[in-house]
Structures are given as structure tokens and as C-alpha cells.
Amino acid sequence: MNTHGETWQTFFSRWPADAPRRGIVITLWNEQIPFAGFSLSADFLCLERQSPDSFGGRTIILPVTQIVGMKFTDVVKPKTLEALGFQTPPGPR
């Protein structure tokens, strides 16, 4: 079974090639961090901001264990999300 950090590590490492690498990460500190690009190491997620935060920061390095959620800021089709392991259940929509 995956740990919390391994789950997010897997999520970001499987990011679909046809999805823009931007969104909003939600942290355990209840902070929402918009990003316009990211890179990944074994334990950390490096987020690139389009514009600086109130302290002038443009790059955030965050332990993957601190992530509790992620929002897409672009429309993402269900087929694109299959690369992340999502499946659309059968039946009416």
C-alpha cells in the first residue's frame, strides 16, 4: 500500500503528456499554491509560479508528504486523466 507521499509522487510522475503542467497544489498548511510548471525528485515537488508570491518567491520546493490535494486550472478530458489511473465508471453520465 502506498504512503501519502508515494501517492502524490506517483500522481505527479504520471502527469499526462497532453495536459498543461499547471494547476493549484493544496498543502497540509491549508495553503493553495498556483503553479505553471513543476519538477519532481524522490521526496520533493518543485513548483514554478508564473508570478511571485507576496514575498517575491517564484519557486517553491515542497515535500510531497505535505500535499493534500491538487486542482486543475485547465479543462482536462476524462481520457487524459486515464494516465493518472482514473476510470470513468459505466452507466449514464
Side-chain angles (χ1 to χ4, degrees):
M1 177 179 244
N2 282 349
T3 66
H4 180 78
E6 289 171 338
T7 299
W8 286 109
Q9 176 77 18
T10 300
F11 180 89
F12 281 97
S13 68
R14 290 184 181 169
W15 193 274
D18 59 342
R21 294 173 72 93
R22 60 181 170 242
I24 301 169
V25 165
I26 305 162
T27 72
L28 281 174
W29 309 309
N30 202 24
E31 183 178 8
Q32 296 191 29
I33 304 171
F35 65 93
F38 67 87
S39 56
L40 195 59
S41 75
D43 299 310
F44 296 95
L45 178 65
C46 180
L47 300 171
E48 302 163 19
R49 295 175 58 102
Q50 242 177 335
S51 57
D53 63 17
S54 60
F55 298 105
R58 285 191 181 264
T59 303
I60 297 106
I61 298 174
L62 177 71
V64 291
T65 56
Q66 293 295 310
I67 300 169
V68 296
M70 211 281 319
K71 298 178 184 180
F72 285 98
T73 54
D74 295 279
V75 175
V76 180
K77 296 182 177 171
K79 184 78 174 160
T80 300
L81 294 175
E82 287 178 5
L84 298 170
F86 290 94
Q87 298 175 7
T88 303
R93 292 182 109 180

